[in-house]
């Protein structure tokens, strides 16, 4: 058996840190036992743990908290050189958040099914997108021309920045 | 042609407010021209506009901002009686955020394709989930038993609350 690659060891070490952050919630009760770390050039630039119950913010997942910390610290809404490590497979919200931040690589340890076994709806949420199941959420378009007009105006605006 | 249903008029009015919030960014440059309103029992409980560029927070989409405002104001991370109105089809991050908040109904005006035409990646992000295209993002599991252990401990914890 070949020796472990150094980068594989690094990935495990960062994931282990993410898991530790998540486990701290088993004591605090601030949210589910989820943690995340964002690393760039071998340095941590953001850490987060789930704080949904503490803050009442349903978006306060570990990955979102870590992203917010990294981006606001660096003053950049995009991190195209960063890696996201998450104790558990990011839910579609968190994965999308990482995508908006242009993070190109994500490592996780536990899976959406492990989260489901702990009572979380991650797998159900993936199904919402993958199988277009929307049984528990009605989503409807009302076509208003002024909505598209705002988008056209954005393209033409001098304030426009792509993101 | 039947007269418009009163609730259809209300939906249009809230959507128009969401569009106004989005349009204010065409002047502020704080983010893309997206706005959102959360309504419960006929009252606005949260409003948001995209503030990604202003705050450097890639998750500061209009819907997320509105959700954060509504939930932290009410001290509740779930809003099962609320409706989300968005000037544009919520991206998967925002739709997932609404799903975590147990919001059962979403109305929007412009579509993901309208957003794409204005240079936004919403459609690409939907494709990430719907077609499992992950070309621009590598997502990999590293199976660590302590990650699942944290989840099992969560189920057994007295601090456990479902969300």
């Amino acid at each position: 058996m070949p020796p472990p690659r150094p980068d594989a060891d690094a990935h495990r070490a960062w994931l282990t840190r993410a898991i530790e952050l998540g486990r701290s919630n088993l004591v605090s009760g601030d949210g589910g036992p989820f943690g995340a770390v964002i690393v760039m050039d071998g340095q941590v630039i953001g850490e987060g743990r789930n704080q949904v119950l503490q803050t009442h913010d349903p978006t306060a997942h570990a990955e979102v908290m870590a992203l917010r910390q990294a981006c606001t610290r660096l003053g950049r809404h995009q991190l195209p050189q960063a890696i996201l490590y998450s104790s558990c497979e990011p839910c579609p919200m968190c994965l999308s958040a990482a995508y908006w931040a242009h993070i190109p690589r994500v490592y996780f340890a536990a899976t959406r099914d492990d989260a489901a076994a702990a009572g979380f709806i991650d797998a159900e949420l993936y199904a919402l997108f993958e199988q277009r199941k929307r049984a528990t959420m009605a989503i409807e378009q009302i076509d208003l021309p002024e909505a598209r007009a705002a988008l056209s105006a954005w393209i033409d605006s001098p304030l426009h920045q792509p993101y």
Side-chain angles (χ1 to χ4, degrees), chain A residues 71-72 86 88-89 95 101 126 133 138:
Chain A
C71 288
T72 53
S86 182
C88 187
E89 186 173 3
L95 201 61
Y126 270 102
K133 275 188 192 159

Side-chain angles (χ1 to χ4, degrees), chain A residues 74-125:
Chain A
L74 299 182
R76 294 165 46 182
H77 60 280
Q78 293 179 352
L79 303 169
Q81 269 83 46
I83 302 175
L84 169 63
Y85 295 94
S86 182
S87 65
C88 187
E89 186 173 3
C91 82
M93 177 179 72
C94 294
L95 201 61
S96 302
Y99 199 79
W100 280 110
H102 292 216
I103 286 185
R105 189 166 284 273
V106 178
Y107 292 95
F108 63 90
T111 68
R112 67 183 80 174
D113 297 320
D114 296 322
F120 293 96
I121 60 165
D122 300 60
E124 186 182 316
L125 189 45

Side-chain angles (χ1 to χ4, degrees), chain A residues 8-97:
Chain A
D9 285 347
H11 294 326
R12 282 174 178 269
W14 295 124
L15 272 180
T16 300
R17 173 62 187 153
I19 295 166
E20 276 171 15
L21 285 162
R23 288 196 65 90
S24 72
N25 275 352
L26 294 169
V27 179
S28 69
D30 288 344
F34 303 105
V37 179
I38 297 174
V39 173
M40 193 166 68
D41 301 328
Q43 304 290 323
V44 173
I45 56 169
E47 287 192 339
R49 59 192 175 86
N50 188 296
Q51 292 177 262
V52 168
L53 299 175
Q54 177 198 11
T55 61
H56 309 294
D57 175 356
T59 73
H61 285 202
E63 299 92 329
V64 166
M65 299 304 281
L67 264 174
R68 283 185 200 158
Q69 187 180 81
C71 288
T72 53
R73 266 189 191 163
L74 299 182
R76 294 165 46 182
H77 60 280
Q78 293 179 352
L79 303 169
Q81 269 83 46
I83 302 175
L84 169 63
Y85 295 94
S86 182
S87 65
C88 187
E89 186 173 3
C91 82
M93 177 179 72
C94 294
L95 201 61
S96 302

